Amino acid sequence: MAGQEFAEGFRFPPGFLWGAATAAHQVEGDNRASDWWAAEESGRLPHRSGRACDHLRRYEADFDLARAFGHNAHRLSLEWSRLEPEPGLRDEAAFGHYERVLEALRARGLEPVVTLHHFTAPRWFAERGGWLAADALDRFAAHCDAVVERFGSQIRWWITVNEPTVLAKHGWVTGDWPPFVRGRWDLAFRVIHRLCAAHRRAYRRIHARVPGALVSFAHSIPWIEPCDPSRTFDRLAARLRTAFLVDWCFGRVREAGRLLLDYVAVNYYTRSIVRWRPRGRALLFGVDCHEPHHGPRLFDDLDQELWPEGLLQVLRRCARLGLPVLVTENGIATTDDGLRLAHLRGHLEALARALAEGVELRGYLHWSLMDNFEWAKGTTARFGLAATDLATLERRPRPAMRLLAEVARTGRLAPTGSEVPSA
Ligand code: BGC
């Protein structure tokens, strides 16, 4: 998608945030008090997280790596089930741990972008009904208060909840994640509704105590387009899917007409091409399609299409909300270094084009720093800028990590065709 406009390369604005994103359960290891660990132990999930990347103990070396590769920001989640392993019990050792983690980030010049809830919850929370329990919002608000009280002054960028639509889909529709409920769209929408309400409360609580905080929730935003744009019903299917999967959440984080967001946190991976079908739930969402006129399409190991142009479209759309935007996730599941490089290059160009058009883009956090525990796919999906050797847990930077480092260090995206730096 390069286009002539970047024949001379592109300069990113000073202060742009560059880094990677992670989530506690996927990297830390031994996340024993969480609902996911319980589900893994019960045998209902095909993989066990075990020691994951052992980031719990290796976080300093991981942050050294991030810094050595030019990062100036890092997204992480604070694991609720470590901080509150039993209802109302604050685990001082866990608070101390995250205090050191945040200090370690600051010491290396890495701006923390902190998620309060990234899919996992304490086991006790899930056993009491999880997000559908009557007191779920109070429980989460209390957790939020505890984090704000202890770490408020150390955190500027906040993400309250990660991807409400994705959690609801896997937990209550496809049923491959805890609590393994299938086909309950009604409950899925209730969960999304709850997560958005949890966001609103957390937004207010953080702002009440942390001056200058920047608060959002991370939204999974695919680019959705009609299979045949000349067909009214395909266009309608794409519009409806966008309305349910993207806009509905934005609508639910409004209060008195105002969005309770300080920036839009975009997790972008792929595009969906949709065709209308006059049957069942396809009436609302359409069905994914692939037709010859779409030409050859590239997919990653999780069957997600690589479509950098979609990031540009999503950024343009988010900019219409009138808020700054931060890309809080974008990445590819592959073991093919060439494909990973092409993916990164394409998405960096999309960022450049968005900035050139005037989108207020604040930064780019790549998913992920290293290969990690990819939920129900275990370690089979490799998203890392660095490969993780599963036997030794050694991290080995991939070529894409060097490309990102070069852009982050120089603030400049060189024209297409330039060499990937070797160090
Ligand atoms: C999630 C991550 C996940 C990534 C790649 C996002 O939906 O926030 O936890 O690992 O996608 O699948």
Side-chain angles (χ1 to χ4, degrees):
M1 64 182 278
Q4 281 308 303
E5 70 259 58
F6 301 129
E8 302 301 317
F10 178 84
R11 200 153 273 294
F12 284 87
F16 197 81
L17 297 179
W18 292 108
T22 58
H25 189 72
Q26 295 179 266
V27 295
E28 287 181 346
D30 286 326
N31 190 19
R32 291 167 185 270
S34 74
D35 56 346
W36 263 80
W37 188 276
E40 290 165 16
E41 293 291 299
S42 76
R44 298 194 74 183
L45 283 161
H47 302 274
R48 292 184 178 204
S49 52
R51 60 182 180 159
C53 302
D54 195 29
H55 179 71
L56 195 68
R57 276 168 283 267
R58 299 174 194 229
Y59 66 90
E60 290 184 287
D62 287 334
F63 298 160
D64 285 342
L65 179 73
R67 183 171 115 133
F69 279 78
H71 299 195
N72 61 10
H74 184 74
R75 180 179 170 206
L76 72 161
S77 71
L78 308 185
E79 177 60 38
W80 181 6
S81 64
R82 285 191 199 283
L83 295 170
E84 192 180 359
E86 299 295 336
L89 177 85
R90 310 278 176 222
D91 187 301
E92 186 40 45
F95 276 87
H97 169 77
Y98 286 122
E99 197 161 298
R100 290 190 293 280
V101 167
L102 291 169
E103 277 163 11
L105 287 171
R106 288 274 179 228
R108 290 162 181 79
L110 296 165
E111 178 76 37
V113 177
V114 173
T115 313
L116 293 177
H117 181 270
H118 196 124
F119 297 156
T120 50
R123 183 184 183 144
W124 60 261
F125 178 81
E127 284 169 354
R128 290 169 170 215
W131 286 104
L132 295 172
D135 65 351
L137 296 183
D138 294 337
R139 291 291 179 183
F140 183 68
H143 164 59
C144 175
D145 285 349
V147 171
V148 168
E149 199 175 297
R150 182 69 176 257
F151 304 121
S153 60
Q154 284 167 279
I155 304 168
R156 179 152 188 256
W157 292 86
W158 297 78
I159 294 176
T160 54
V161 294
N162 184 63
E163 299 188 341
T165 53
V166 173
L167 181 60
K169 174 185 132 194
H170 286 288
W172 286 267
V173 180
T174 53
D176 53 337
W177 289 8
F180 306 104
V181 179
R182 279 174 174 271
R184 292 295 304 270
W185 288 88
D186 56 329
L187 295 184
F189 276 104
R190 239 169 54 217
V191 168
I192 298 172
H193 178 84
R194 280 290 174 94
L195 288 166
C196 291
H199 163 81
R200 295 198 304 272
R201 278 219 207 172
Y203 180 94
R204 286 192 300 264
R205 293 175 116 85
I206 297 166
H207 274 293
R209 311 273 276 276
V210 187
L214 298 169
V215 187
S216 193
F217 73 99
H219 201 0
S220 167
I221 311 188
W223 176 245
I224 301 168
E225 61 185 51
C227 183
D228 178 348
S230 71
R231 290 165 63 152
T232 312
F233 282 108
D234 283 1
R235 290 204 307 276
L236 182 67
R239 254 193 240 139
L240 284 173
R241 198 187 279 202
T242 306
F244 282 118
L245 295 189
V246 182
D247 299 339
W248 201 64
C249 276
F250 285 133
R252 305 237 64 76
V253 298
R254 262 180 204 284
E255 221 168 57
R258 174 181 162 239
L259 276 168
L260 294 191
L261 298 174
D262 301 311
Y263 66 99
V264 188
V266 175
N267 292 358
Y268 173 78
Y269 285 89
T270 192
R271 90 167 150 172
S272 313
I273 304 185
V274 270
R275 155 145 285 172
W276 185 71
R277 280 275 165 75
R279 246 181 280 132
R281 75 176 176 86
L283 254 184
L284 288 187
F285 292 97
V287 288
D288 290 320
C289 75
H290 187 175
E291 305 223 333
H293 72 268
H294 298 132
R297 294 167 69 190
L298 274 177
F299 292 86
D300 75 358
D301 294 348
L302 292 183
D303 269 339
Q304 307 210 87
E305 186 186 3
L306 269 76
W307 188 248
E309 175 78 29
L311 176 58
L312 175 62
Q313 303 283 8
V314 163
L315 292 174
R316 283 178 180 150
R317 205 163 184 278
C318 288
R320 297 214 293 264
L321 294 169
L323 292 168
V325 184
L326 177 66
V327 176
T328 41
E329 283 184 35
N330 168 245
I332 176 171
T334 184
T335 47
D336 179 333
D337 281 344
L339 198 60
R340 192 185 303 283
L341 260 180
H343 170 278
L344 180 61
R345 170 86 212 180
H347 287 82
L348 292 173
E349 284 174 6
L351 304 180
R353 286 183 60 186
L355 281 161
E357 288 178 19
V359 173
E360 269 189 74
L361 185 60
R362 295 287 190 258
Y364 174 80
L365 304 175
H366 189 87
W367 186 272
S368 182
L369 183 61
M370 61 236 167
D371 296 338
N372 57 44
F373 181 74
E374 177 56 28
W375 307 112
K377 304 287 180 197
T379 49
T380 61
R382 309 291 170 89
F383 276 97
L385 287 170
T388 305
D389 181 315
L390 294 178
T392 62
L393 294 187
E394 190 193 333
R395 293 28 164 166
R396 294 196 198 106
R398 293 186 163 119
M401 191 163 194
R402 292 197 282 275
L403 171 61
L404 189 63
E406 177 72 9
V407 179
R409 278 196 205 111
T410 60
R412 179 171 173 273
L413 179 64
T416 324
S418 323
E419 294 249 314
V420 176
S422 57

